[in-house]
């Protein structure tokens, strides 16, 4: 081209290269990866660039585990727990659960019996089954020993049937032998659970389950004990599968 020497060509090439480098790279996220945070300026938006690894929508899960009862003063209580559920979407699931209990008189019971010659009022939990709605609003990941682990934190609320046995009818009468009678109560179930994903289909869970129910105390002088709201708290560890 007339009038364009090598020096001009070199200058034009440098200008073009500088303009090209100065153009920022823009990553466009899908609409479902857009999150609004209320504490930010309304005009600002935050995009999540990394997809969620362990998706729950339309998945079935099942857990089996063991645990301890935490509510009895005079009993050592162990338990076997199982549940199965279905996620309607990423946050909400419906879950059915069952717990079977084993009870044994503990040291506090034996000491009271040996030193005072008396038997305390005891209500033993035998089994529990129920249906709950499960909400999983929190998920995240941690880096431990150079390995990334993904976790979910969930909450549940529902209704159940709590089967127990107690010595309420005999403990208040020293002339009667200590005897346990079967009982059954409707309970309100509250649950919280932390789930750690080992693989796509295997996970481990730590959970707390509380049954709240209304039941009477011991019968004294032929008068039934006053009914009041009582609770039964369990802790558990379980292994689960999802598909």
């Amino acid at each position: 081209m007339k009038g364009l020497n090598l020096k001009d060509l070199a200058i034009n090439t440098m200008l073009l290269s500088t303009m090209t480098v100065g153009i920022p790279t823009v990553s466009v996220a899908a609409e479902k990866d857009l999150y609004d945070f209320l504490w930010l300026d309304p005009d600002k938006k935050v995009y999540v660039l990394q997809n969620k690894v362990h998706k729950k929508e339309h998945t079935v899960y099942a857990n089996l585990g063991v645990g301890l009862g935490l509510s009895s003063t005079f009993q050592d209580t162990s338990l076997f727990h199982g549940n199965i559920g279905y996620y309607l979407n990423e946050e909400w699931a419906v879950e059915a659960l069952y717990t079977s209990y084993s009870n044994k008189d503990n040291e506090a019971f034996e000491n009271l019996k040996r030193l005072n010659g008396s038997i305390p009022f005891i209500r033993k939990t035998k089994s529990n089954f129920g249906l709950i709605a499960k909400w999983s609003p929190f998920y995240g990941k941690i880096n431990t020993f150079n390995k990334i682990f993904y976790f979910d934190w969930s909450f549940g609320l529902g209704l159940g049937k709590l089967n127990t046995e107690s010595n309420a009818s005999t403990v208040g009468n020293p002339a009667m032998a200590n005897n346990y009678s079967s009982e059954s109560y409707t309970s309100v179930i509250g649950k919280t659970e932390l789930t750690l994903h080992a693989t796509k289909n295997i996970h481990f869970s730590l959970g707390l389950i509380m049954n709240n129910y209304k039941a009477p105390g011991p019968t004294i002088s032929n008068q039934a004990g006053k009914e009041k709201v009582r609770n039964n708290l369990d802790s558990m560890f379980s292994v689960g599968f999802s598909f």
Side-chain angles (χ1 to χ4, degrees):
M1 184 180 295
K2 184 177 181 181
L4 181 63
N5 55 33
L6 292 177
K7 181 178 179 180
D8 294 332
L9 181 60
I11 292 173
N12 291 334
T13 302
M14 290 176 62
L15 289 173
L16 180 61
S17 300
T18 302
M19 293 175 62
T20 302
V21 172
I23 298 174
T25 301
V26 180
S27 296
V28 180
E31 188 66 26
K32 64 181 180 179
D33 294 324
L34 174 63
Y35 287 80
D36 293 323
F37 292 89
L38 299 179
W39 60 84
L40 293 177
D41 188 294
D43 293 332
K44 290 189 169 96
K45 297 183 184 297
V46 176
Y47 286 90
V48 177
L49 300 180
Q50 182 179 1
N51 291 329
K52 191 173 183 180
V53 175
H54 298 281
K55 293 185 178 296
K56 299 188 290 293
E57 185 175 11
H58 302 319
T59 60
V60 176
Y61 65 90
N63 298 301
L64 293 175
V66 295
L68 297 173
L70 306 177
S71 297
S72 180
T73 304
F74 299 104
Q75 298 288 297
D76 288 333
T77 304
S78 58
L79 60 90
F80 173 80
H81 176 79
N83 61 58
I84 185 169
Y86 175 74
Y87 271 99
L88 305 173
N89 52 44
E90 284 297 315
E91 292 189 357
W92 288 96
V94 177
E95 177 179 302
L97 56 86
Y98 175 80
T99 309
S100 177
Y101 299 84
S102 177
N103 301 278
K104 180 181 179 182
D105 296 339
N106 62 16
E107 185 178 11
F109 178 93
E110 296 297 338
N111 288 339
L112 183 64
K113 183 178 178 181
R114 186 176 73 253
L115 297 175
N116 298 334
S118 60
I119 302 293
F121 169 59
I122 294 175
R123 176 168 280 116
K124 301 178 182 179
T125 309
K126 304 299 292 182
S127 65
N128 171 236
F129 60 91
L131 187 67
I132 66 172
K134 183 177 177 181
W135 180 43
S136 303
F138 304 114
Y139 68 91
K141 61 183 177 180
I142 56 175
N143 188 345
T144 305
F145 303 113
N146 293 323
K147 183 174 177 61
I148 295 177
F149 294 95
Y150 297 87
F151 64 89
D152 295 289
W153 185 14
S154 63
F155 304 89
L157 185 65
L159 294 176
K161 180 66 69 174
L162 189 68
N163 297 312
T164 66
E165 61 179 22
S166 80
N167 58 355
S169 60
T170 61
V171 69
N173 189 344
M176 297 181 65
N178 187 48
N179 186 52
Y180 291 90
S181 301
S182 297
E183 305 167 333
S184 183
Y185 303 101
T186 299
S187 66
V188 176
I189 302 175
K191 178 181 179 180
T192 183
E193 190 173 56
L194 183 67
T195 300
L196 189 69
H197 298 277
T199 68
K200 181 179 179 180
N201 302 108
I202 300 175
H203 55 264
F204 301 95
S205 299
L206 289 172
L208 291 172
I209 295 181
M210 177 176 284
N211 280 273
N212 302 277
Y213 61 101
K214 193 173 184 180
T219 299
I220 301 176
S221 300
N222 295 324
Q223 293 187 359
K226 182 180 179 180
E227 284 195 344
K228 71 174 187 177
V229 176
R230 307 175 190 273
N231 58 69
N232 187 75
L233 179 64
D234 304 319
S235 65
M236 60 196 64
F237 170 78
S238 60
V239 180
F241 306 88
S242 60
F243 49 91

